[in-house]
Amino acid sequence: MNRNVLSRRVLAGTALAALALTGCSSNNESADGGEQLSGEVKVNGSSTVAPLSEAAATFYREVQSGVNVSVGTSGTGGGFERFCKGETDVSDASRPIKESEIEACEAAGIQFKELVVANDALTVVVSKENDWADCLTVDQLKAIWEPNSKVANWNQVDPSFPDEPLKLFGPGTDSGTFDYFTDEINGEEGASRTDYTASENDNVVVQGVAGTKGGLGYFGFTYFEENADKLKALKVDGGSGCVEPSLKTAQENSYQPLSRPLFIYVSDTAVEKEQVADFVNFYIERIDDIVLEAKYVPLTEEQKSTLQAEFDALKAAA
């Protein structure tokens, strides 16, 4: 997917003006305790990005208690399916929108705006009982996860590892995390062995790995942080030595190849609703607080400058 092309996709002119106009006025008023809005804002998509949108919703209720912001987690793919049918206002995504999804949106007359709201370090985890593995190479991860892999024991990953059955857990095929991991590790998006316990709910993966001595799985960094008492994060060697997933390594882009940006998508029809435009504006204005609350990797100064520039362009279009 050409990221530069995607980043240039914008809302239709009238929708840009609507977002800019309502965003500029309603944000100041609501933050100052002025005009109170009502209605719904429907958010759905990636379970990885959900904590960000949930934090935004929590903060937003403090200034707009009359607006009901609901955040669902049907996976990035499932979220885009609903989004491109016009069923949701904002789509959480842990990967860029695919060409097929763009086509589905266009067929339904839905244009959108893509916004990078945080960074993430996709984290490979094992049980706390695993005292033999601290770092895996990309080649080892590929040997484990590639299509038709027969690796079923830890000693097949490395002869120095014990004779311990390997049991795998991971996201389902609707997950942007699945798409990202398979692309970066196996070299093709969606290419993966299928004989593993799959779930769109990251908590299922957490419980499975934590309860299995030889378990291994992967998901976003936030879910590891929340369950660090039950899991161990492995370092990953992308060719330049073993690097652990962390806020620092993700932001400086040294945790390769599993660092990634996280997105929200906003439809043009959605921002015609005053409460949706106000919520998105609030999301952008409070992005540092939201990322901190959700325990994700903050945007770099360059990313924040880009986000601010996009926001300024919206205001200028009014």
Side-chain angles (χ1 to χ4, degrees):
M1 177 68 66
N2 188 319
R3 295 291 305 112
N4 291 328
V5 171
L6 279 174
S7 65
R8 292 196 296 268
R9 295 187 65 91
V10 296
L11 294 167
T14 55
L16 283 171
L19 176 56
L21 182 61
T22 55
C24 289
S25 60
S26 60
N27 180 66
N28 291 334
E29 289 172 354
S30 62
D32 294 335
E35 179 188 359
Q36 291 297 299
L37 303 176
S38 61
E40 291 186 322
V41 178
K42 296 179 182 178
V43 184
N44 203 301
S46 168
S47 62
T48 300
V49 182
L52 288 158
S53 291
E54 288 168 352
T58 298
F59 289 144
Y60 188 64
R61 290 186 194 105
E62 296 175 0
V63 296
Q64 289 290 359
S65 59
V67 178
N68 177 32
V69 181
S70 61
V71 181
T73 54
S74 59
T76 296
F80 278 134
E81 183 176 350
R82 295 185 181 187
F83 182 71
C84 292
K85 290 179 180 178
E87 296 175 359
T88 59
D89 304 306
V90 178
S91 201
D92 290 338
S94 57
R95 59 154 172 83
I97 190 169
K98 297 178 181 178
E99 286 295 341
S100 60
E101 293 161 341
I102 293 173
E103 291 169 2
C105 277
E106 289 177 343
I110 294 175
Q111 297 185 22
F112 54 83
K113 177 68 177 178
E114 175 194 271
L115 297 172
V116 175
V117 292
N119 299 298
D120 189 23
L122 200 157
T123 306
V124 180
V125 296
V126 294
S127 166
K128 283 282 192 180
E129 294 184 76
N130 184 324
D131 58 4
W132 58 87
D134 292 306
C135 176
L136 293 179
T137 66
V138 169
D139 285 344
Q140 287 173 320
L141 287 171
K142 181 178 180 181
I144 292 170
W145 284 102
E146 65 186 344
N148 304 314
S149 171
K150 301 303 179 184
V151 176
N153 195 294
W154 277 94
N155 61 19
Q156 292 176 273
V157 179
D158 188 313
S160 68
F161 292 161
D163 179 12
E164 181 68 40
L166 174 67
K167 187 170 182 180
L168 300 176
F169 303 83
T173 57
D174 271 344
S175 168
T177 299
F178 171 83
D179 291 336
Y180 188 87
F181 185 88
T182 53
D183 188 25
E184 295 296 333
I185 298 300
N186 294 335
E188 180 182 349
E189 187 176 291
S192 174
R193 68 190 296 172
T194 58
D195 57 337
Y196 71 97
T197 301
S199 177
E200 307 299 344
N201 186 338
D202 290 325
N203 288 320
V204 172
V205 181
V206 169
Q207 293 165 10
V209 175
T212 308
K213 184 176 181 180
L216 180 143
Y218 63 91
F219 40 63
F221 183 67
T222 291
Y223 281 92
F224 165 68
E225 283 196 311
E226 291 177 353
N227 296 278
D229 59 329
K230 299 189 284 285
L231 299 169
K232 180 172 78 171
L234 296 183
K235 299 175 184 177
V236 174
D237 185 349
S240 301
C242 297
V243 179
E244 67 178 347
S246 70
L247 298 180
K248 182 175 184 293
T249 59
Q251 195 171 51
E252 69 185 15
N253 209 31
S254 62
Y255 179 65
Q256 288 296 321
L258 297 179
S259 295
R260 59 176 176 169
L262 301 176
F263 311 90
I264 63 171
Y265 287 75
V266 187
S267 77
D268 57 345
T269 53
V271 297
E272 293 174 0
K273 307 170 190 174
E274 188 176 12
Q275 75 275 14
V276 176
D278 192 63
F279 173 70
V280 173
N281 179 65
F282 181 89
Y283 207 137
I284 294 170
E285 290 287 344
R286 295 286 299 274
I287 193 62
D288 284 339
D289 295 332
I290 290 165
V291 172
L292 179 64
E293 176 67 18
K295 301 178 182 177
Y296 274 93
V297 181
L299 297 174
T300 64
E301 289 304 315
E302 182 179 358
Q303 287 173 316
K304 283 195 286 187
S305 294
T306 299
L307 183 60
Q308 188 62 58
E310 291 178 343
F311 180 55
D312 289 343
L314 296 180
K315 291 188 291 185

